Amino acid sequence: MDKPSHLSVILDLSPTQWALCAQSANPTGITLQTFLSQLLAFLNAHIACKDENTLAVFGAFPGQSGMLYSSTGEITSARTESTDANTYRPFRTLDSTLMTLIAERLESYDSTTEEAPIGLVGCLTKALCYINRAITTSSSSVTEIEGAVASVDPRILVLSVSPDQSSTYIPIMNSIFSAQKLKVTIDVCKIFGAENVFLQQAAHLTGGAYVQVERTDALLQYMMMSFLPPPAIRQLISVPTQDRVDFRAACFCHKRIVEIGFVCSVCLSIFCQPVPVCSTCRTKFPIKTLQRLRDARPLAAAAPPTKPLAPKNGTATPARPG
Amino acid sequence: MAGPSIRIKPAGEPSKSTNISGEDSSHRLVAFLQSQSQNTLTRLYQKPSSCLSIFRLLRPLERQLVMNLLWLEMPVPASTMAAWVTREGKRPYHDALATLARLHILPQSPVKHALNPTFKSSMRQAITGGGSSGSFGVLSENDDKHPPPDIEALDAYALERWETILYYMVSSGTGQFPARPSQGVLYLLQRSRLMANVHGNTLQITSAGFQFLLHPPHEQLWELLLQYLQMAEERQMDLVEVLSFLLMLSTTELGKDYSMENLSATQKAMLEDLRDYGLIKQRTATSRRFSPTRLATTLTSSSPPLPTSTGTGNGSQAQGFIVLETNYRLYAYTDNPLQIAVLNLFVTLKSRFPNLVVGQITRESVKKALTNGITADQVISYLITHAHPQMRKNKPLLPVTVQDQIRLWELEKNRVKSQEGYLYTAFASQADYEYVLNYAKQLDVVLWENASRRCFFGSVEGHANIRGFIERRSAAGNA
């Protein structure tokens, strides 16, 4: 029998980016309203697939993050929903809870002050914690009866509109590694804006799909075809993955995204320029090597440094954050 | 959600049960729907709730294909659709298309594919909400005098009803007279050939009935409901109304009161039957409202349809209660008469304690089960489904010796093979005997021979030839 699957959705709800997205002409933008209505149809479709499917929605707001909905009923809207015989009740609860909470949260933002960076990492870690708890409780309780395979088939879907923040490189990489360990697939849907290097890597490393939406009017169809199939079905139905992955990493010293970096030979920290002492593990490097690396730097192509971080190509594994 | 894990497929090879490539058989209801006319199905698809429930019963790949097509306005060329699946997915994909075509959800077409328009619009409505069909059940007005029943009461009610039926079945013919289910249930059991009238008017369980008892509750429920659907036509009930009511029940919420106002006359008539099966509860027979029980709300899911079995009620039975040792000894932590009666089908029970039954699986007890028509696999899958949590630490779960022995006992039953034929004896001389025997051997019809007694046994097919041969020979001898 097919297993139930768990989906955690992370919504990027940066007011500024959504405003930009709504005004954008090329590619045609999409307003937050339209996006949310299409999203709700997608979320309903996920619950519709199987009675046991579970869902959690997390919102990334400027400078904060929080859970907006969970099918285990941890978050409930204060507003009691009216009776409606035309809608399946779980759908109705989901829709009203989600919409009320998003509206409440977004209203509380002051449009005059400058927007804090988006709390995407917070969401990612919260989603992972949620999944971890779901897995451990289910494995200790009765649902485990059929053995380890019976546990939920978890995945995370990130719907992103904001650009990369290089300062979040380390926490994002850490999240990716935990996701790999938990066997969580991370899918990424980039609705607006340029390609997102870190999220691309997240999708690639966890075996998820990365979709850059080109036609926002068909957003629902994109989501249905790429993100609805649970990982088990993806053996049978092909899901778009990216053929070219940007493997660039951010350096630990200035949080810049670098093409060629210098890696500490002890702890694998990445730096954009040769340093005498590793800032992470305090290893001292010989002056001679340092000199050699400095000399080689401007002519990186002709004489590569001893330890360049191989960028761009699929062969390189990303550096482990310190 | 706590409760026993209910497997739809018999346990056994875990590799098989994890297979998602569409090799699981379709749900029973889906098979039933495939045999219905297009007209019936299209009428059924007018209700969003029916579409949603049927959709849930489809296999994973079929569901995904429906979802892919649901939001498209234009038909999709078949070649484009075929490109969606990977190489391994080819065969399941064609199976899925065939199933969907038989259900008239995706009409078969060599060039372009588009969903059945009725299904499409209802399914869209189910997912986006809205419309005015009221197909998800109208909640009744809040009434302070009669608050909706709490979930525990509903569970207890459903369980009581369901176990009454099963216990009646299992104890028929044993001389005990437990509570009789209602006349409607008895008729249904008889119609589904789970019980049969033996002498006069006593109902006795049949071999199909014994097999039924060992099935997981979910399967049992659907077996009865399908029978009910087949009966509905004879009772001049509209199949579409009956089906859509059942499917609507599966989308209702546990612990809520629903109003009867929007139901048709047929559906109101059904309430009584469903009350007997324990699918819904009504405060009184004439009440204007009904509340679905867990049996009804889990119809289209695979979560356990019955709460923790009665008895000690400390939840341990939810996880199974049987401990089986390599010495064929079986300990069942239960005081539930139904479970004990079912165990009694294939276990020799030795002693009984307030919360524990001890028994032994013996050759006699298994043979008794086999003669009742129960197969070894059914016994084993019952033991696996109800194994105690302590047993789940073992790998494999059941002791191999016991599993093998149960299978061997079954083989033993099949040791003797019967074949019809004729025995040829009383030949006048040894030469005569050998001459006929040689002829029969040439025809390859000899099954057994004994030269010292001058007789052999030939199969039915060869009889005419051998007889003709003997007659010709004796005629020649006489002449």
PDB file of all heavy atoms in Angstrom, chain A residues 123-143:
ATOM      1  N   CYS A 123      12.636  29.172   9.490  1.00  0.00           N
ATOM      2  CA  CYS A 123      11.576  28.284   9.009  1.00  0.00           C
ATOM      3  C   CYS A 123      12.118  26.898   8.723  1.00  0.00           C
ATOM      4  O   CYS A 123      11.506  25.887   9.065  1.00  0.00           O
ATOM      5  CB  CYS A 123      10.998  28.828   7.722  1.00  0.00           C
ATOM      6  SG  CYS A 123       9.745  30.027   8.011  1.00  0.00           S
ATOM      7  N   LEU A 124      13.265  26.899   8.052  1.00  0.00           N
ATOM      8  CA  LEU A 124      13.839  25.623   7.639  1.00  0.00           C
ATOM      9  C   LEU A 124      14.140  24.765   8.868  1.00  0.00           C
ATOM     10  O   LEU A 124      13.807  23.581   8.915  1.00  0.00           O
ATOM     11  CB  LEU A 124      15.119  25.902   6.846  1.00  0.00           C
ATOM     12  CG  LEU A 124      15.536  24.910   5.782  1.00  0.00           C
ATOM     13  CD1 LEU A 124      14.398  24.668   4.820  1.00  0.00           C
ATOM     14  CD2 LEU A 124      16.742  25.433   5.028  1.00  0.00           C
ATOM     15  N   THR A 125      14.726  25.392   9.879  1.00  0.00           N
ATOM     16  CA  THR A 125      15.057  24.605  11.061  1.00  0.00           C
ATOM     17  C   THR A 125      13.794  24.194  11.812  1.00  0.00           C
ATOM     18  O   THR A 125      13.702  23.079  12.304  1.00  0.00           O
ATOM     19  CB  THR A 125      15.988  25.383  12.006  1.00  0.00           C
ATOM     20  OG1 THR A 125      15.623  26.741  11.939  1.00  0.00           O
ATOM     21  CG2 THR A 125      17.418  25.242  11.594  1.00  0.00           C
ATOM     22  N   LYS A 126      12.805  25.097  11.847  1.00  0.00           N
ATOM     23  CA  LYS A 126      11.568  24.729  12.525  1.00  0.00           C
ATOM     24  C   LYS A 126      10.906  23.556  11.817  1.00  0.00           C
ATOM     25  O   LYS A 126      10.396  22.627  12.459  1.00  0.00           O
ATOM     26  CB  LYS A 126      10.606  25.919  12.572  1.00  0.00           C
ATOM     27  CG  LYS A 126      10.882  26.830  13.741  1.00  0.00           C
ATOM     28  CD  LYS A 126       9.961  28.025  13.776  1.00  0.00           C
ATOM     29  CE  LYS A 126      10.366  28.944  14.920  1.00  0.00           C
ATOM     30  NZ  LYS A 126       9.946  30.316  14.717  1.00  0.00           N
ATOM     31  N   ALA A 127      10.922  23.609  10.484  1.00  0.00           N
ATOM     32  CA  ALA A 127      10.304  22.517   9.723  1.00  0.00           C
ATOM     33  C   ALA A 127      11.031  21.207   9.998  1.00  0.00           C
ATOM     34  O   ALA A 127      10.405  20.169  10.206  1.00  0.00           O
ATOM     35  CB  ALA A 127      10.332  22.842   8.240  1.00  0.00           C
ATOM     36  N   LEU A 128      12.361  21.278  10.050  1.00  0.00           N
ATOM     37  CA  LEU A 128      13.128  20.053  10.300  1.00  0.00           C
ATOM     38  C   LEU A 128      12.848  19.510  11.696  1.00  0.00           C
ATOM     39  O   LEU A 128      12.718  18.302  11.886  1.00  0.00           O
ATOM     40  CB  LEU A 128      14.622  20.327  10.120  1.00  0.00           C
ATOM     41  CG  LEU A 128      15.070  20.441   8.666  1.00  0.00           C
ATOM     42  CD1 LEU A 128      16.476  20.985   8.583  1.00  0.00           C
ATOM     43  CD2 LEU A 128      14.993  19.083   7.976  1.00  0.00           C
ATOM     44  N   CYS A 129      12.754  20.418  12.660  1.00  0.00           N
ATOM     45  CA  CYS A 129      12.456  19.971  14.020  1.00  0.00           C
ATOM     46  C   CYS A 129      11.088  19.311  14.059  1.00  0.00           C
ATOM     47  O   CYS A 129      10.892  18.275  14.696  1.00  0.00           O
ATOM     48  CB  CYS A 129      12.465  21.144  14.995  1.00  0.00           C
ATOM     49  SG  CYS A 129      14.087  21.796  15.287  1.00  0.00           S
ATOM     50  N   TYR A 130      10.139  19.922  13.360  1.00  0.00           N
ATOM     51  CA  TYR A 130       8.781  19.381  13.341  1.00  0.00           C
ATOM     52  C   TYR A 130       8.776  17.972  12.756  1.00  0.00           C
ATOM     53  O   TYR A 130       8.178  17.046  13.301  1.00  0.00           O
ATOM     54  CB  TYR A 130       7.890  20.312  12.518  1.00  0.00           C
ATOM     55  CG  TYR A 130       6.451  19.892  12.474  1.00  0.00           C
ATOM     56  CD1 TYR A 130       5.586  20.247  13.500  1.00  0.00           C
ATOM     57  CD2 TYR A 130       5.955  19.147  11.418  1.00  0.00           C
ATOM     58  CE1 TYR A 130       4.257  19.865  13.479  1.00  0.00           C
ATOM     59  CE2 TYR A 130       4.628  18.753  11.390  1.00  0.00           C
ATOM     60  CZ  TYR A 130       3.785  19.124  12.418  1.00  0.00           C
ATOM     61  OH  TYR A 130       2.487  18.730  12.385  1.00  0.00           O
ATOM     62  N   ILE A 131       9.505  17.833  11.636  1.00  0.00           N
ATOM     63  CA  ILE A 131       9.551  16.523  10.978  1.00  0.00           C
ATOM     64  C   ILE A 131      10.241  15.510  11.875  1.00  0.00           C
ATOM     65  O   ILE A 131       9.786  14.374  12.028  1.00  0.00           O
ATOM     66  CB  ILE A 131      10.273  16.636   9.618  1.00  0.00           C
ATOM     67  CG1 ILE A 131       9.405  17.395   8.632  1.00  0.00           C
ATOM     68  CG2 ILE A 131      10.622  15.262   9.072  1.00  0.00           C
ATOM     69  CD1 ILE A 131      10.072  17.707   7.328  1.00  0.00           C
ATOM     70  N   ASN A 132      11.325  15.958  12.511  1.00  0.00           N
ATOM     71  CA  ASN A 132      12.057  15.046  13.386  1.00  0.00           C
ATOM     72  C   ASN A 132      11.154  14.532  14.493  1.00  0.00           C
ATOM     73  O   ASN A 132      11.138  13.340  14.802  1.00  0.00           O
ATOM     74  CB  ASN A 132      13.260  15.781  13.979  1.00  0.00           C
ATOM     75  CG  ASN A 132      14.129  14.865  14.796  1.00  0.00           C
ATOM     76  OD1 ASN A 132      14.363  13.723  14.380  1.00  0.00           O
ATOM     77  ND2 ASN A 132      14.552  15.317  15.953  1.00  0.00           N
ATOM     78  N   ARG A 133      10.357  15.440  15.051  1.00  0.00           N
ATOM     79  CA  ARG A 133       9.472  15.023  16.118  1.00  0.00           C
ATOM     80  C   ARG A 133       8.423  14.049  15.580  1.00  0.00           C
ATOM     81  O   ARG A 133       8.121  13.033  16.198  1.00  0.00           O
ATOM     82  CB  ARG A 133       8.792  16.237  16.730  1.00  0.00           C
ATOM     83  CG  ARG A 133       8.185  15.909  18.071  1.00  0.00           C
ATOM     84  CD  ARG A 133       7.565  17.111  18.692  1.00  0.00           C
ATOM     85  NE  ARG A 133       6.685  17.754  17.736  1.00  0.00           N
ATOM     86  CZ  ARG A 133       6.191  18.968  17.880  1.00  0.00           C
ATOM     87  NH1 ARG A 133       6.549  19.683  18.911  1.00  0.00           N
ATOM     88  NH2 ARG A 133       5.383  19.488  16.995  1.00  0.00           N
ATOM     89  N   ALA A 134       7.893  14.369  14.397  1.00  0.00           N
ATOM     90  CA  ALA A 134       6.875  13.488  13.814  1.00  0.00           C
ATOM     91  C   ALA A 134       7.442  12.093  13.592  1.00  0.00           C
ATOM     92  O   ALA A 134       6.771  11.092  13.849  1.00  0.00           O
ATOM     93  CB  ALA A 134       6.370  14.066  12.506  1.00  0.00           C
ATOM     94  N   ILE A 135       8.692  12.033  13.134  1.00  0.00           N
ATOM     95  CA  ILE A 135       9.292  10.720  12.867  1.00  0.00           C
ATOM     96  C   ILE A 135       9.529   9.973  14.166  1.00  0.00           C
ATOM     97  O   ILE A 135       9.180   8.806  14.289  1.00  0.00           O
ATOM     98  CB  ILE A 135      10.616  10.885  12.097  1.00  0.00           C
ATOM     99  CG1 ILE A 135      10.337  11.372  10.685  1.00  0.00           C
ATOM    100  CG2 ILE A 135      11.375   9.573  12.055  1.00  0.00           C
ATOM    101  CD1 ILE A 135      11.578  11.668   9.904  1.00  0.00           C
ATOM    102  N   THR A 136      10.091  10.659  15.151  1.00  0.00           N
ATOM    103  CA  THR A 136      10.429   9.919  16.375  1.00  0.00           C
ATOM    104  C   THR A 136       9.179   9.482  17.121  1.00  0.00           C
ATOM    105  O   THR A 136       9.133   8.372  17.626  1.00  0.00           O
ATOM    106  CB  THR A 136      11.325  10.746  17.309  1.00  0.00           C
ATOM    107  OG1 THR A 136      10.834  12.069  17.321  1.00  0.00           O
ATOM    108  CG2 THR A 136      12.760  10.725  16.869  1.00  0.00           C
ATOM    109  N   THR A 137       8.153  10.338  17.173  1.00  0.00           N
ATOM    110  CA  THR A 137       6.956   9.885  17.886  1.00  0.00           C
ATOM    111  C   THR A 137       6.294   8.743  17.142  1.00  0.00           C
ATOM    112  O   THR A 137       5.797   7.810  17.742  1.00  0.00           O
ATOM    113  CB  THR A 137       5.933  11.020  18.081  1.00  0.00           C
ATOM    114  OG1 THR A 137       5.732  11.641  16.841  1.00  0.00           O
ATOM    115  CG2 THR A 137       6.377  11.989  19.135  1.00  0.00           C
ATOM    116  N   SER A 138       6.306   8.826  15.804  1.00  0.00           N
ATOM    117  CA  SER A 138       5.621   7.749  15.088  1.00  0.00           C
ATOM    118  C   SER A 138       6.412   6.445  15.183  1.00  0.00           C
ATOM    119  O   SER A 138       5.844   5.370  15.171  1.00  0.00           O
ATOM    120  CB  SER A 138       5.403   8.123  13.631  1.00  0.00           C
ATOM    121  OG  SER A 138       6.574   7.929  12.894  1.00  0.00           O
ATOM    122  N   SER A 139       7.734   6.564  15.312  1.00  0.00           N
ATOM    123  CA  SER A 139       8.495   5.318  15.352  1.00  0.00           C
ATOM    124  C   SER A 139       8.413   4.663  16.723  1.00  0.00           C
ATOM    125  O   SER A 139       8.580   3.464  16.853  1.00  0.00           O
ATOM    126  CB  SER A 139       9.949   5.575  14.973  1.00  0.00           C
ATOM    127  OG  SER A 139      10.545   6.402  15.925  1.00  0.00           O
ATOM    128  N   SER A 140       8.127   5.465  17.751  1.00  0.00           N
ATOM    129  CA  SER A 140       8.022   4.831  19.069  1.00  0.00           C
ATOM    130  C   SER A 140       6.604   4.349  19.329  1.00  0.00           C
ATOM    131  O   SER A 140       6.377   3.549  20.201  1.00  0.00           O
ATOM    132  CB  SER A 140       8.448   5.808  20.156  1.00  0.00           C
ATOM    133  OG  SER A 140       7.592   6.930  20.104  1.00  0.00           O
ATOM    134  N   SER A 141       5.668   4.841  18.559  1.00  0.00           N
ATOM    135  CA  SER A 141       4.282   4.445  18.842  1.00  0.00           C
ATOM    136  C   SER A 141       3.829   3.377  17.858  1.00  0.00           C
ATOM    137  O   SER A 141       4.611   2.751  17.173  1.00  0.00           O
ATOM    138  CB  SER A 141       3.367   5.651  18.776  1.00  0.00           C
ATOM    139  OG  SER A 141       3.102   5.983  17.443  1.00  0.00           O
ATOM    140  N   VAL A 142       2.544   3.196  17.790  1.00  0.00           N
ATOM    141  CA  VAL A 142       2.002   2.041  17.085  1.00  0.00           C
ATOM    142  C   VAL A 142       2.129   2.117  15.576  1.00  0.00           C
ATOM    143  O   VAL A 142       2.121   1.097  14.912  1.00  0.00           O
ATOM    144  CB  VAL A 142       0.518   1.880  17.432  1.00  0.00           C
ATOM    145  CG1 VAL A 142       0.394   1.238  18.767  1.00  0.00           C
ATOM    146  CG2 VAL A 142      -0.195   3.203  17.359  1.00  0.00           C
ATOM    147  N   THR A 143       2.226   3.308  15.020  1.00  0.00           N
ATOM    148  CA  THR A 143       2.264   3.389  13.558  1.00  0.00           C
ATOM    149  C   THR A 143       3.507   2.706  12.999  1.00  0.00           C
ATOM    150  O   THR A 143       3.607   2.487  11.811  1.00  0.00           O
ATOM    151  CB  THR A 143       2.250   4.846  13.085  1.00  0.00           C
ATOM    152  OG1 THR A 143       3.045   5.593  13.982  1.00  0.00           O
ATOM    153  CG2 THR A 143       0.853   5.380  13.053  1.00  0.00           C
TER     154      THR A 143
END
